[in-house]
Amino acid sequence: MSRHKITMTVNDVEVTREIESRNLLVHFIREDLSLTGTPIGCDTTSCGACTVLVNGRAIKSCTMFAVQANGATIETIEGVAQNGDLHPLQQGFWEKHGLQCGYCTPGMIMSAKHLLAENPNPSEEEIRWGISGNLCRCTGYNKIVEAIRYAADKLAEGDGEGTEETSA
Amino acid sequence: MIPGQFDYHAPTTLDEALSLLGHHSGAKILAGGQSLIPAMRFRLAQPEVLIDINGLGDLDYIREQDGHLAIGAMTRESALEASTVVQSRYPLLADTARVIADPLVRNLATVGGNLAHADPANDHPATMLAYGAEIVATGPKGSRRIAIDDFFTGLFENSLGDNEILTEIRIPAPGSGSGGAYIKTERKVGDYAISAVAVQLAMDGDRVGTVRIGLTNVSPVPMRAVGAEAAASRSVLSDEVLEAAGQAAAAECEPSADLRGSVAYKRDLTRVLVKRALRRAAERAAGGAS
Amino acid sequence: MTHLEDRFEQHSPKPEGVSAKVAAVDEIQVKTPVEVCGMGHRMKRKEDPRFIQGKGNYVDDVKLPGMLYMDIVRSPYAHAKIVSIDDSEALATPGVLAVIKGEDLKAAGNLHWMPTLMSDTQMVLPIDKVIYYAQEVCAVVATERYIAADAIEKIVVEYEPLDAVVDPHEAMKDKVIVRDDKEKQTNHIWHWEAGDEQATDKVFAEAAHVVEQKMYLPRLHVSSIETCGMVANYNKVTEHMQIYMTSQAPHAHRTVFALVSGLPEHKIQIISPDIGGGFGGKVPVYPGYVVCAVASLLTGAPVKWIEDRSENLQADSFARDYHIDAKMACDAEGRITGLKVKTLADCGAADAAANPSKFPAGLYSICTGSYDMKAAHVEVDGVYTTKPPGGVAYRCSFRVTEAVHMIERMTDIMAREVGTDPAEFRRKNFIRDFPYKSPTGWEYDSGNYEGALDKAMQSIGYDELRREQAEKRERGELMGIGISSFTEVVGAGPSRDYDILGIKMFDSAEIRIHPTGKAIARFGTKSQGQGHETTYAQIIAEELGLPAADVQVEEGDTDTAPYGLGTYASRSTPTAGAAGAMAARKIKAKAKKIAAYLLEVGEDDLEWNISQFQVKGSPEQAKTIQEIAFAAYTNHPPGMEAGLEATDYYDPPNLTFPFGSYICVVDIDKGTGEVKVRRFVAIDDCGHIINPMIVEGQIEGGLTMGLAPALFEEIVYDENGQNLTGTFADYLLPTAVESPKWETGHTITPSPHHPLGAKGVGESPTVGAPPAIVNAVVDALAHLGVKHLEIPITPEKVWKVLREAGVTD
């Protein structure tokens, strides 16, 4: 078993830790960095609850080793609001009731953030396909779709914080 | 679900990766990791050494050159979705890329990994069989090309040597009058296919000229439906011809029963999908979608 | 927008006869201004800022100094003797502190068995044999999660496999005895009946039409995205046990823990923090919880145990698993006259359902549904099999889903038998007079079934869809329209009939108003996403005129919240919500006295107006609730106790009976057998609505959870009792792609006995949706002779009937 010293930028903060090679990125984020906003929902890369952005791309952090993220830029749900201002996606989820128990919400928001970065004006169909790697058991998805559409409109208006993908 | 322990290496050059592979007999290559890491979490795979080739950025490319589309092994599935050349000239590949796993998995999963895993449930094997692609394998003594028909040797087994890494996939550039389609029936997004069919054909007037058909998840080893190809080849795609091709595929595939369906269902589904994929491929050929 | 109200009002002509009535009751009452945000306001949820910023606090987020981790060794057999457990290699691993086995629990005071909520017994850890696949065998406690995971691989358990019994019909033959610990060597657990057998036999003898259908409602798993887990923190010096737990019922769990462990109840504190979905799966006490608590008792350190998804799917409580044989009788005029139902309930290895004590089959006898009939008789037999124990809800109220599925399917089958359109047949048979006494003994509080059906039919354009279907059928295309006009029964329940382990099913609220007019309110329930922090605040705002923003709602800490039975079975609004209103009214009564004192008038001279008491005829003479609150601490009447607070334990006089009509349109691919839900209109009636946005969210979510068992989800075992669907790769939760765009709407028929006229709503859609979908699929295939399909309706099931009928592509 090898141990590795890794350095990465997480939510604009550079962190360095020594870890076991087998440490999953999600455990590293939750345990080593105490960023518990990224939860775990399954073992089979199915649910997307643990979604974070690695170098701007939404990935399931349960299916990547922390050591693989050495040198990467990572954004978790804790880094989405900037200077105390909610990101349009966060506003959208709140306004449109895009969450209930809140457990899938961070993953949904991170997925949606990547989706909107690639496709700023998605149709309902594109939103549904875009979040199809994230399971929600509470909402029935209607209001999540509305929340993401709300954010797309806000971002298009240009008064949102998230128009620039700083982590890309 | 915690993986077992292993040693980890992250080479930054192909030579370094090959050297590590030569030195560690129990080593596994870590590409996108979207099949390997779940298997490790269940401890179904417990490699002693992982060689992470995500640092080999020069294996991440899609380019059309010398009469073929060259795809670097470390190209992410999502890059296929975003690629203009794939979307405009390789509709079979474009179809496939959209239905692999889910969007988050596609952000990490690689084309090379999907093929090297040699899982008949994966989607690229059928697609590459239909394209008649070539695999470029690189070892300590250089590169060699393996015809896709010779690549899959068993369930999760391929013809790569122990010291070789899959580095590139080459798809012959489709000529004029060509068309392709991938049609997959899955229980839900993210699932493997109940059955899926990849067709690549070139029309010769109103007849099919050449045609290759690959099948997903209906055989222990990724397979071509050669009987179906024979039925469709040199023919006008009438209802009768389509039915004959579908029935040939249904007869020659070798599905096993599981939660996705019985053998009879999978065979008949394959028949239906072969017909639909042939029809769509021919429509695309006629529409100039190449 | 998907909400139908506007569209309905603008575009749908109202039918003769019902228009006035329906229109009159559809409007959501809003009595308070937006600053107060009482009932009827679409208030944004107060809990959301923490969730959208990653600041929720779920059990796995709890990290205590010196915390240890537990992992569990599970059985690879459904039924096997345990020959030996060798833990030497695991114990020799650095970082491993203990291995806990059944014998250890026995030595610790017979903790190797525990009672279930149904007064059965369940193994915590086995000593002699295992009786279901993935059963807990022993547990490792280690300094780190990864070390614990490594250590369980090093424990060698030798088993002697025994025959499994997976099918309850087989189990009834008693060839393999699951529970040989019991005095009676039989797998039959209980027999239960409701209704009048003789009267039912009589109506069947006189019937013009009788139809019969067997149906199976398969095992399901609630699959909240958060699994179950615990952090147990025992302090050996203070003898205080603090437990963070994924609990839908923390108070009841505290009492169970006290009774089982012998720890004094005041030394046990259960904290149910944010819960990542419950749906019934976090009602039972699982063996892992008990072992985790024991691990902390033994080590004197905090111990964390978090299930992984496979453990959650394979060992935690299931739902459904009812084998139903139903018969319906109908007279020559097309009126349903009777219903006969026999049911085999597969309980698994213990009766660990979460039903009220007197109801081993829950509220299943509500199965006459929305239809008036003369007689009914229902029988249920519970049986052990070598499968995980359970029988919890899956976002439903105690077996109502099974009942509704059966009656809504039978109604469709009978409609076809008598040759009447299923909508017309329902309309003809609806209960019309309320309160209604059902043949199985229920008293329905209120309803307007026809109003909901009319609205659903108009919203979806029923007649036009029937025309489209006829045209498509001519062309060989397969399209179906399915209806479900269900009645739910929620809000358990009145103390005369409802208890869990003897504890009556009241619920509670305690409101304290601070001198500056801000309030804290604590409840005996526990939100798992339902939005109690908002809804309850709105109830208090409605009653007292305090802005909902000024009311902090807390639940889930047994040291601070009043005792209650928790949140499940859509009971929170009917019970704790009512308690909140009643506690507020107690406060209001005192406030009136204070206002009279301050205004120097008699109480009779005062009237209430939104947020103040004012003198009748001169409203400028008034005291706001905030002024009254200040006076309650600074200037209260002589002889009166200071302060402004109240507690209420609400014992509902009856259950509430929400209802609705759902219509589903499906298209079927005759080549692949795939079913696509094209449209789904859901008209729900849950009485008065507290927060329309939250109600819509509950309904949409419940609809997707109704779609899931109809088309996707099922726990499957092989003949050896091994679970074949133990991951999300095989237990198929719908994504946003499979889930259609739901179209929702409402009618409003208040509950006459609930203080707010509300009924409870979270589960209606899960109950009502599956039969609408099945009825639609069967409708699409009916001309081929198809009468019934079992859920989940997989592509293969449809393909099979198509090919048998000679339909192909």
Side-chain angles (χ1 to χ4, degrees):
Chain A
M1 167 190 62
S2 50
R3 293 186 69 84
H4 303 266
K5 190 171 174 186
I6 59 171
T7 299
M8 60 184 90
T9 303
V10 180
N11 301 334
D12 298 330
V13 178
E14 188 176 287
V15 298
T16 299
R17 297 282 191 284
E18 193 185 296
I19 51 141
E20 254 187 276
S21 51
R22 63 172 169 163
N23 260 35
L24 296 167
L25 179 59
V26 69
H27 287 144
F28 177 77
I29 290 169
R30 291 180 53 79
E31 309 290 339
D32 295 73
L33 304 183
S34 295
L35 293 171
T36 54
T38 302
I40 301 170
C42 76
D43 324 306
T44 46
T45 321
S46 304
C47 78
C50 62
T51 302
V52 300
L53 300 187
V54 175
N55 296 330
R57 293 140 65 102
I59 60 102
K60 299 182 184 183
S61 63
C62 74
T63 314
M64 185 173 189
F65 295 111
V67 63
Q68 291 182 267
N70 189 21
T73 299
I74 292 183
E75 185 179 339
T76 70
I77 186 66
E78 289 91 343
V80 173
Q82 294 283 321
N83 307 319
D85 293 330
L86 293 180
H87 185 277
L89 274 164
Q90 293 170 312
Q91 294 169 22
F93 273 73
W94 194 9
E95 287 286 341
K96 296 294 177 184
H97 190 29
L99 65 149
Q100 289 178 25
C101 80
Y103 202 78
C104 77
T105 311
M108 282 286 181
I109 289 176
M110 301 319 288
S111 267
K113 195 157 187 240
H114 184 205
L115 171 71
L116 293 183
E118 303 249 306
N119 182 358
N121 186 23
S123 66
E124 161 150 10
E125 179 91 354
E126 286 168 335
I127 294 173
R128 286 183 179 272
W129 281 92
I131 58 168
S132 62
N134 298 79
L135 295 174
C136 170
R137 199 58 159 167
C138 296
T139 65
Y141 301 106
N142 269 24
K143 291 190 172 3
I144 293 179
V145 173
E146 288 174 28
I148 296 170
R149 196 51 246 177
Y150 174 98
D153 291 341
K154 270 257 163 159
L155 287 165
E157 287 166 19
D159 60 355
E161 291 295 308
T163 43
E164 293 165 48
E165 276 299 310
T166 49
S167 57
Chain B
M1 288 285 157
I2 311 293
Q5 298 174 350
F6 57 86
D7 285 333
Y8 171 86
H9 300 277
T12 51
T13 66
L14 183 56
D15 284 347
E16 199 187 333
L18 289 167
S19 162
L20 283 163
L21 195 55
H23 279 95
H24 299 285
S25 56
K28 283 276 296 178
I29 298 287
L30 175 64
Q34 303 299 288
S35 295
L36 179 58
I37 295 175
M40 289 175 69
R41 294 185 67 191
F42 280 83
R43 303 202 179 196
L44 298 170
Q46 301 204 50
E48 291 167 18
V49 178
L50 276 191
I51 300 170
D52 178 1
I53 58 170
N54 284 278
L56 308 188
D58 48 1
L59 292 186
D60 179 2
Y61 54 84
I62 303 168
R63 52 182 172 246
E64 219 174 14
Q65 59 186 27
D66 307 330
H68 64 260
L69 183 74
I71 302 171
M74 288 306 291
T75 302
R76 310 290 168 181
E77 302 291 0
S78 53
L80 297 178
E81 291 174 88
S83 159
T84 317
V85 63
V86 170
Q87 294 301 320
S88 62
R89 303 232 321 125
Y90 297 83
L92 163 58
L93 186 57
D95 283 355
T96 309
R98 269 194 290 276
V99 295
I100 292 169
D102 66 52
L104 300 172
V105 170
R106 294 199 291 273
N107 283 335
L108 275 181
T110 62
V111 182
N114 190 297
L115 286 164
H117 193 35
D119 183 347
N122 279 355
D123 298 283
H124 277 309
T127 294
M128 297 305 170
L129 284 165
Y131 270 127
E134 280 182 337
I135 301 297
V136 178
T138 306
K141 292 172 186 162
S143 294
R144 66 182 176 116
R145 295 190 309 201
I146 307 169
I148 193 74
D149 289 337
D150 301 326
F151 185 69
F152 303 107
T153 55
L155 179 63
F156 305 129
E157 285 176 10
N158 60 43
S159 54
L160 289 173
D162 286 346
N163 293 341
E164 285 181 321
I165 293 175
L166 191 164
T167 49
E168 186 180 284
I169 300 97
R170 292 183 182 181
I171 297 173
S176 62
S178 296
Y182 188 66
I183 301 185
K184 177 178 184 176
T185 298
E186 57 187 0
R187 296 178 298 177
K188 57 167 274 194
V189 171
D191 191 22
Y192 292 112
I194 306 174
S195 173
V197 174
V199 168
Q200 181 67 23
L201 52 70
M203 297 302 287
D204 182 1
D206 59 354
R207 290 177 182 272
V208 174
T210 57
V211 59
R212 290 173 63 103
I213 302 174
L215 306 180
T216 298
N217 214 12
V218 286
S219 55
V221 184
M223 70 175 283
R224 267 173 73 191
V226 291
E229 290 172 9
S233 181
R234 312 305 314 163
S235 306
V236 175
L237 286 180
S238 62
D239 288 351
E240 292 72 24
V241 167
L242 289 170
E243 182 63 26
Q247 290 200 9
E252 65 195 314
C253 67
E254 305 167 62
S256 50
D258 58 19
L259 293 174
R260 293 182 186 84
S262 64
V263 169
Y265 174 54
K266 291 181 180 183
R267 282 189 194 280
D268 194 54
L269 181 60
T270 303
R271 175 185 68 82
V272 171
L273 298 181
V274 162
K275 291 168 66 173
R276 291 182 182 179
L278 276 168
R279 199 179 287 132
R280 188 173 299 168
E283 283 164 10
R284 284 174 171 169
S290 72
Chain C
M1 298 302 290
T2 52
H3 205 65
L4 290 169
E5 297 316 315
D6 299 340
R7 183 140 51 94
F8 181 75
E9 295 303 333
Q10 286 164 17
H11 303 299
S12 302
K14 299 203 166 66
E16 290 294 312
V18 292
S19 57
K21 192 177 168 195
V22 175
V25 297
D26 275 2
E27 220 157 291
I28 295 172
Q29 281 185 20
V30 181
K31 295 181 189 160
T32 55
V34 70
E35 310 82 64
V36 173
C37 242
M39 282 174 64
H41 285 285
R42 297 176 73 88
M43 185 185 185
K44 285 200 303 185
R45 296 204 320 171
K46 298 175 62 156
E47 41 273 87
D48 286 0
R50 66 178 186 272
F51 293 130
I52 56 179
Q53 297 183 83
K55 295 297 179 191
N57 185 37
Y58 303 93
V59 172
D60 198 15
D61 302 340
V62 174
K63 212 185 212 178
L64 301 177
M67 192 167 73
L68 307 174
Y69 294 85
M70 189 180 91
D71 211 333
I72 293 177
V73 176
R74 291 176 183 273
S75 169
Y77 295 102
H79 197 192
K81 279 187 182 158
I82 296 175
V83 179
S84 62
I85 301 175
D86 180 357
D87 58 7
S88 52
E89 200 191 335
L91 280 169
T93 306
V96 173
L97 300 175
V99 174
I100 299 172
K101 303 195 284 285
E103 293 285 4
D104 303 317
L105 295 183
K106 189 177 180 186
N110 286 327
L111 293 176
H112 58 312
W113 285 91
M114 65 178 180
T116 71
L117 296 180
M118 300 311 292
S119 299
D120 195 357
T121 52
Q122 180 180 351
M123 284 182 212
V124 177
L125 291 176
I127 291 175
D128 302 317
K129 73 168 189 173
V130 290
I131 48 179
Y132 57 91
Y133 176 76
Q135 184 179 340
E136 300 79 358
V137 174
C138 60
V140 170
V141 183
T143 52
E144 288 176 38
R145 195 187 294 244
Y146 280 40
I147 294 174
D150 287 343
I152 63 167
E153 301 281 315
K154 296 175 181 169
I155 291 177
V156 182
V157 184
E158 193 186 332
Y159 299 94
E160 192 180 304
L162 301 167
D163 287 341
V165 56
V166 178
D167 175 5
H169 300 93
E170 257 328 287
M172 285 291 274
K173 296 175 188 164
D174 284 339
K175 286 179 187 159
V176 173
I177 299 297
V178 180
R179 294 294 299 266
D180 51 18
D181 56 293
K182 298 260 177 186
E183 203 170 307
K184 273 172 66 183
Q185 294 291 293
T186 175
N187 293 324
H188 185 229
I189 316 172
W190 43 259
H191 175 82
W192 178 83
E193 296 185 21
D196 184 333
E197 187 171 17
Q198 279 186 338
T200 309
D201 285 344
K202 188 160 174 286
V203 299
F204 270 81
E206 294 164 355
H209 305 275
V210 172
V211 291
E212 178 173 9
Q213 183 64 51
K214 286 185 167 59
M215 55 189 91
Y216 174 51
L217 291 178
R219 251 184 198 234
L220 298 179
H221 196 281
V222 298
S223 298
S224 52
I225 306 298
E226 179 199 37
T227 61
C228 295
M230 174 185 274
V231 176
N233 181 22
Y234 184 65
N235 184 322
K236 285 191 174 181
V237 176
T238 62
E239 297 178 328
H240 181 262
M241 174 66 96
Q242 182 190 45
I243 288 174
Y244 293 86
M245 178 178 173
T246 45
S247 171
Q248 295 180 230
H251 299 276
H253 286 158
R254 185 188 67 196
T255 302
V256 171
F257 271 74
L259 293 173
V260 170
S261 69
L263 290 174
E265 195 167 357
H266 69 291
K267 293 284 191 182
I268 304 174
Q269 176 190 20
I270 295 189
I271 300 170
S272 186
D274 288 327
I275 299 295
F279 314 114
K282 290 167 182 169
V283 174
V285 175
Y286 295 118
Y289 291 135
V290 178
V291 182
C292 183
V294 170
S296 183
L297 275 170
L298 292 177
T299 58
V303 178
K304 178 184 276 191
W305 167 67
I306 304 291
E307 284 175 336
D308 62 39
R309 178 56 60 189
S310 295
E311 294 178 290
N312 176 259
L313 279 170
Q314 291 174 355
D316 282 5
S317 190
F318 67 92
R320 317 278 195 264
D321 219 345
Y322 263 29
H323 298 257
I324 301 170
D325 189 349
K327 286 183 193 159
M328 181 181 271
C330 188
D331 67 17
E333 281 74 51
R335 292 191 190 283
I336 301 169
T337 51
L339 187 71
K340 255 192 222 185
V341 188
K342 285 184 195 294
T343 299
L344 204 51
D346 185 341
C347 296
D351 184 6
N355 295 319
S357 302
K358 282 187 196 167
F359 299 85
L363 312 185
Y364 185 61
S365 63
I366 192 73
C367 62
T368 55
S370 306
Y371 311 104
D372 186 15
M373 61 186 79
K374 290 179 189 161
H377 186 241
V378 191
E379 294 174 74
V380 188
D381 288 276
V383 57
Y384 291 128
T385 57
T386 54
K387 293 193 283 190
V392 297
Y394 169 104
R395 202 170 183 156
C396 103
S397 177
F398 310 122
R399 303 295 189 179
V400 177
T401 314
E402 290 88 330
V404 165
H405 198 86
M406 185 274 296
I407 186 68
E408 287 302 309
R409 282 273 47 245
M410 294 307 288
T411 302
D412 249 42
I413 291 169
M414 183 58 92
R416 215 164 290 284
E417 169 78 13
V418 302
T420 307
D421 180 273
E424 268 325 296
F425 187 72
R426 281 177 169 79
R427 194 188 303 280
K428 191 166 190 176
N429 283 286
F430 277 148
I431 296 162
R432 282 162 202 283
D433 297 320
F434 296 89
Y436 170 80
K437 188 95 177 164
S438 89
T440 51
W442 301 97
E443 188 175 304
Y444 294 23
D445 59 349
S446 63
N448 173 14
Y449 300 156
E450 199 162 4
L453 179 60
D454 284 337
K455 188 165 181 177
M457 289 173 71
Q458 290 159 42
S459 300
I460 205 160
Y462 186 79
D463 295 340
E464 199 167 314
L465 285 167
R466 283 286 174 212
R467 279 193 292 278
E468 180 191 345
Q469 182 187 33
E471 287 166 19
K472 286 202 160 147
R473 202 166 274 181
E474 287 291 311
R475 297 200 297 268
E477 292 173 37
L478 300 171
M479 164 192 167
I481 305 152
I483 303 174
S484 164
S485 292
F486 63 92
T487 294
E488 254 260 79
V489 50
V490 309
S495 60
R496 64 180 179 276
D497 286 326
Y498 295 89
D499 67 82
I500 299 271
L501 289 174
I503 305 166
K504 301 296 188 182
M505 294 184 74
F506 56 84
D507 224 296
S508 61
E510 175 201 279
I511 305 171
R512 290 186 201 165
I513 303 183
H514 306 319
T516 54
K518 315 291 178 187
I520 185 161
R522 295 185 170 117
F523 293 77
T525 47
K526 175 62 209 172
S527 182
Q528 312 122 40
Q530 292 88 341
H532 290 176
E533 288 169 44
T534 309
T535 301
Y536 289 161
Q538 287 184 264
I539 289 174
I540 292 167
E542 177 81 6
E543 293 289 334
L544 292 178
L546 282 177
D550 290 349
V551 182
Q552 179 177 332
V553 170
E554 289 184 1
E555 302 172 292
D557 184 338
T558 58
D559 271 9
T560 56
Y563 203 102
L565 273 282
T567 292
Y568 42 87
S570 296
R571 68 186 297 278
S572 296
T573 292
T575 60
M582 300 310 276
R585 289 174 193 181
K586 289 177 188 173
I587 286 175
K588 205 163 160 183
K590 182 171 180 180
K592 192 174 192 181
K593 290 189 196 322
I594 297 172
Y597 170 73
L598 296 175
L599 293 165
E600 298 178 349
V601 295
E603 281 187 62
D604 292 345
D605 298 327
L606 292 175
E607 61 185 5
W608 177 254
N609 181 17
I610 297 176
S611 58
Q612 63 183 16
F613 277 110
Q614 59 196 32
V615 177
K616 289 175 186 167
S618 56
E620 70 288 352
Q621 274 189 280
K623 288 291 171 190
T624 66
I625 187 70
Q626 288 85 357
E627 290 168 330
I628 295 167
F630 195 68
Y633 296 88
T634 59
N635 182 24
H636 55 289
M640 179 188 275
E641 278 182 36
L644 196 56
E645 60 183 69
T647 303
D648 190 81
Y649 284 76
Y650 186 77
D651 183 3
N654 189 6
L655 300 167
T656 64
F657 295 75
F659 59 92
S661 266
Y662 293 172
I663 305 184
C664 172
V665 184
V666 299
D667 295 304
I668 292 176
D669 183 327
K670 63 186 177 184
T672 64
E674 289 168 288
V675 173
K676 183 165 174 51
V677 176
R678 188 207 307 174
R679 285 189 68 192
F680 196 109
V681 164
I683 303 299
D684 275 276
D685 192 321
C686 60
H688 280 312
I689 291 173
I690 298 161
N691 183 324
M693 179 189 79
I694 288 178
V695 168
E696 282 164 32
Q698 289 293 304
I699 289 168
E700 290 165 5
L703 289 169
T704 294
M705 255 180 114
L707 171 81
L711 298 182
F712 301 101
E713 293 175 16
E714 177 178 15
I715 304 178
V716 182
Y717 294 90
D718 69 11
E719 68 277 14
N720 299 315
Q722 182 155 351
N723 188 322
L724 301 178
T725 47
T727 71
F728 278 166
D730 285 307
Y731 190 79
L732 306 174
L733 274 58
T735 72
V737 171
E738 289 77 38
S739 188
K741 182 172 180 171
W742 306 110
E743 303 170 62
T744 64
H746 62 261
T747 57
I748 294 174
T749 310
S751 169
H753 62 76
H754 185 278
L756 304 167
K759 285 190 171 185
V761 74
E763 301 164 334
S764 288
T766 320
V767 171
I773 297 168
V774 179
N775 287 344
V777 176
V778 171
D779 183 60
L781 304 170
H783 62 296
L784 306 174
V786 176
K787 198 174 102 178
H788 178 71
L789 283 170
E790 297 285 27
I791 57 170
I793 301 180
T794 59
E796 177 165 14
K797 285 180 187 167
V798 176
W799 166 84
K800 191 161 180 285
V801 298
L802 287 171
R803 295 301 183 269
E804 280 167 5
V807 177
T808 188
D809 187 18

